[in-house]
Amino acid sequence: IFPPFPFLQLALDTVAGTAIKIGAQNIGVQEKPGAYTGEVTATMIRSLGCELVLLGHSERRMLYGETDAIINRKMHIALAAGLSVVLCVGEQEAEFEAGLLQAVLALQLKKGLQGVPASELERVIVAYEPVWAIGTGKTATPDQAQEAHLAVRAVISEMYGTGVARGLRVQYGGSVTPEGVDAMMQMPDVD
């Protein structure tokens, strides 16, 4: 669960003693301790007891101008602080319609994971979020999600090898309907 910053401690207290994990929705780009008014560092998040951080979410990319380079910097900071990372990747509707799914995912993954050693990928989860299917009433079909997840694994295989790609957790982060969730979960590459 990734609640907003003001509710992290409440969420952590609420799920204490359960298997539910709490993560932050973002971290700052500061690597060293210091006075960074308004920013929340990875070490602050970790000191609360959070184990996860969400990076690369489409809203952070679109509304706050976060680039793949910024996401990569945050990736390294998070991993160095002992956090696991949920790396969000996904295409806009125009990119989807233009058949650019694989190219967009490859670019986001290669840039987002640049310099991350294979040994760290056990602490990385990739969340495929088709931007065109978030809050729009549109949903990816199970076959479309499978195609995207397979594309993610192909890029990871190219970067790190087949074994790492098979072991990587790839989750679907787009909208689903009650009627479609069972079929989505039957797809072999949707974790």
Side-chain angles (χ1 to χ4, degrees):
I1 301 173
F2 296 90
F5 287 130
F7 306 112
L8 281 174
Q9 191 61 61
L10 175 62
L12 286 161
D13 293 344
T14 301
V15 302
T18 72
I20 299 171
K21 295 187 187 299
I22 300 297
Q25 294 180 359
N26 186 40
I27 56 170
V29 295
Q30 298 73 23
E31 296 178 46
K32 297 178 183 176
Y36 305 108
T37 303
E39 287 299 315
V40 179
T41 66
T43 53
M44 289 177 186
I45 296 302
R46 192 71 183 115
S47 72
L48 285 174
C50 289
E51 298 178 31
L52 299 159
V53 64
L54 193 65
L55 298 178
H57 192 278
S58 61
E59 291 171 351
R60 299 287 316 170
R61 291 175 189 265
M62 291 187 302
L63 299 175
Y64 300 99
E66 288 195 0
T67 63
D68 291 316
I70 291 171
I71 293 160
N72 180 255
R73 183 172 176 190
K74 290 181 178 188
M75 170 75 71
H76 286 279
I77 292 167
L79 292 171
L83 292 167
S84 292
V85 175
V86 176
L87 175 61
C88 301
V89 296
E91 78 285 5
Q92 304 278 336
E93 187 168 19
E95 294 166 331
F96 174 73
E97 290 174 355
L100 297 174
L101 168 72
Q102 293 177 350
V104 170
L105 297 182
L107 184 67
Q108 290 174 343
L109 288 165
K110 287 177 181 179
K111 290 190 172 192
L113 294 170
Q114 185 176 0
V116 175
S119 60
E120 292 282 20
L121 258 64
E122 65 188 28
R123 293 193 298 133
V124 175
I125 299 165
V126 174
Y128 167 62
E129 53 161 5
V131 180
W132 52 270
I134 299 174
T136 63
K138 298 177 182 178
T139 58
T141 67
D143 288 333
Q144 288 169 326
Q146 171 62 20
E147 177 187 354
H149 287 224
L150 198 56
V152 167
R153 291 193 198 281
V155 172
I156 299 301
S157 181
E158 176 186 318
M159 293 175 70
Y160 296 101
T162 306
V164 173
R166 268 185 277 181
L168 180 72
R169 286 177 284 171
V170 184
Q171 298 180 336
Y172 178 72
S175 298
V176 293
T177 62
E179 300 79 30
V181 70
D182 289 337
M184 184 73 73
M185 297 310 298
Q186 297 303 313
M187 294 291 108
D189 288 291
V190 177
D191 295 328

